[in-house]
Amino acid sequence: MKIIDRPALAELTTLRLGGSAIAEIRLDSLADCERLPEALSLAGGSAHVLGGGSNLLIRDGELPITVIRPLMGSRDAEGRPAEPEVLGAEDGPDGKYTLLRVGAGMRMPFLLSWTVRRGLAGLEGLVGVPGRVGGAVAMNAGSYGCSTAPLMRSLTVFTPERGLHEIGPEGWEASYRRFSLVKPCSWYMSASVVLAMKQDDPAKLRRIMQENFLRKKSGQPVHEHTAGCVFKNPEGESAGRLLDAAGMKGRRRGALRFSEMHANFLAHDTKCGIPGRTEDALALIAEARAAVQERFGVSLEMEVKEWPAWR
Ligand code: EPU
């Protein structure tokens, strides 16, 4: 466990926005979870779990929060990227499956290339999605027909009420970009997950992954600082299409603007000479929601998580 005072949060997010927290608690192993309650009570502030920071909009200023970073599963004892643990294989209704235990801190791009190389299917649609495994679980991250929750067999979580424990699928609820635990808790942190991945041809999976990446690169601002899609898609619609039709593409405030490539991405131009402010992002979001509401009568729901989250 490592504790850092007053960490600058912008550096921990893909959007590169946000003020500072009271403290950052880095967890490198499951054993660190046992010391977490004490570390949190010493630091004070409300607990916020940060994965890869790829889906976050954090407010400016000195924030009354303490950030927990589950990094277990990202590095091995020698400091090299850790690998998933192969637990075994089993027969499913449509073929053979391999069971993997993966730490919450493992980077999604690493997991994707590791599984594709071994012919394990299920994550090819998530190519180009940054972030870590714990964040992909918490968001039920998805793209091009893939999503995280259907691959999950069990989850080891920490909650302040129950400590570290393992739950099966009956212990969680997942739907489009939503994931929550069935048993009420004040907050939870994923520590590791067991995935069941179907065995398939590595060359076929590599081809699908490459096709998805080309599609993504041609339609989304993958080389800019963004937090992914800002809004969830309303049932049967694309938020990007509605925002585009409402004239939001290229709309700018300070260093922030809605991408010209895809209107559901806010991009932060960190080199424009104007300091990026979350206030500008929030003003653009309010403007966009009002424009879509007025033009289409649709109320857009945020996909990106706002911090501090008031519980
Ligand atoms: N469109 C526009 N203008 C835009 C953006 C999109 O007209 O500015 C149109 C496109 O031309 C297309 C339709 O809207 O006809 C759908 O667009 P796209 O294929 O880009 O998909 P999306 O619904 O906007 C969703 C996910 C993405 C995911 C892609 C591909 C959400 C909110 N978005 O986008 O996920 O990568 O499908 O599967 O679910 C994310 O969640 O962060 C994310 C990027």
Side-chain angles (χ1 to χ4, degrees):
M1 175 183 285
K2 189 168 179 202
I3 301 180
I4 291 141
D5 281 333
R6 278 281 157 220
L9 299 177
E11 288 161 26
L12 301 181
T13 69
T14 53
L15 188 57
R16 298 285 191 276
L17 284 183
S20 62
I22 298 171
E24 173 190 335
I25 303 175
R26 291 188 192 165
L27 306 176
D28 296 309
S29 65
L30 289 183
D32 282 348
C33 295
E34 281 164 32
R35 294 160 58 205
L36 183 56
E38 193 193 342
L40 279 172
S41 76
L42 279 175
S46 73
H48 285 59
V49 181
L50 190 143
S54 58
N55 201 53
L56 287 180
L57 183 58
I58 305 182
R59 291 198 182 251
D60 304 310
E62 294 196 350
L63 303 171
I65 66 176
T66 286
V67 168
I68 305 165
R69 292 186 70 202
L71 295 172
M72 46 285 251
S74 62
R75 301 262 157 210
D76 65 15
E78 279 82 47
R80 292 181 302 238
E83 301 208 353
E85 181 190 352
V86 178
L87 300 178
E90 64 178 33
D91 290 318
D94 54 349
K96 276 207 174 308
Y97 282 74
T98 295
L99 300 181
L100 300 176
R101 186 184 295 282
V102 186
M106 183 173 290
R107 292 183 185 280
M108 285 300 286
F110 179 87
L111 177 61
L112 172 63
S113 62
W114 193 95
T115 51
V116 164
R117 232 179 299 134
R118 285 158 182 83
L120 299 178
L123 294 169
E124 314 74 69
L126 289 170
V127 61
V129 171
R132 295 177 189 261
V133 168
V137 169
M139 286 305 299
N140 188 15
S143 217
Y144 304 119
C146 290
S147 55
T148 311
L151 306 175
M152 290 169 52
R153 190 54 68 81
S154 68
L155 182 69
T156 301
V157 281
F158 174 92
T159 65
E161 289 79 7
R162 296 182 66 200
L164 202 60
H165 59 286
E166 190 167 14
I167 55 174
E170 68 291 344
W172 65 73
E173 279 168 353
S175 54
Y176 165 69
R177 301 295 194 274
R178 235 182 242 285
F179 185 87
S180 58
L181 303 189
V182 170
K183 280 212 170 135
C185 59
S186 36
W187 53 269
Y188 74 91
M189 176 196 79
S190 297
S192 74
V193 60
V194 174
L195 302 175
M197 302 190 65
K198 189 161 179 261
Q199 296 173 10
D200 208 328
D201 172 24
K204 175 182 141 194
L205 298 180
R206 200 171 311 116
R207 199 177 54 247
I208 298 173
M209 186 176 79
Q210 281 163 353
E211 281 165 12
N212 285 335
F213 186 63
L214 289 178
R215 270 164 79 187
K216 199 177 179 79
K217 218 171 82 172
S218 65
Q220 296 182 8
V222 291
H223 298 300
E224 292 203 74
H225 293 296
T226 78
C229 283
V230 175
F231 299 104
K232 296 185 184 189
N233 281 344
E235 183 91 47
E237 234 323 341
S238 160
R241 196 192 70 77
L242 298 178
L243 291 158
D244 188 357
M248 293 311 294
K249 258 189 185 169
R251 187 72 60 92
R252 172 183 279 275
R253 265 182 199 245
L256 276 300
R257 68 176 206 292
F258 279 104
S259 165
E260 292 81 1
M261 232 177 163
H262 193 301
N264 200 7
F265 285 73
L266 265 181
H268 178 187
D269 183 355
T270 53
K271 297 202 175 100
C272 69
I274 306 169
R277 296 187 318 163
T278 306
E279 218 176 284
D280 290 328
L282 289 169
L284 280 173
I285 286 169
E287 203 181 319
R289 292 190 77 181
V292 168
Q293 178 72 49
E294 190 185 310
R295 174 98 191 256
F296 300 104
V298 173
S299 167
L300 290 179
E301 194 188 330
M302 292 281 279
E303 173 174 322
V304 162
K305 303 268 184 234
E306 277 181 74
W307 280 14
W310 304 114
R311 301 191 181 93

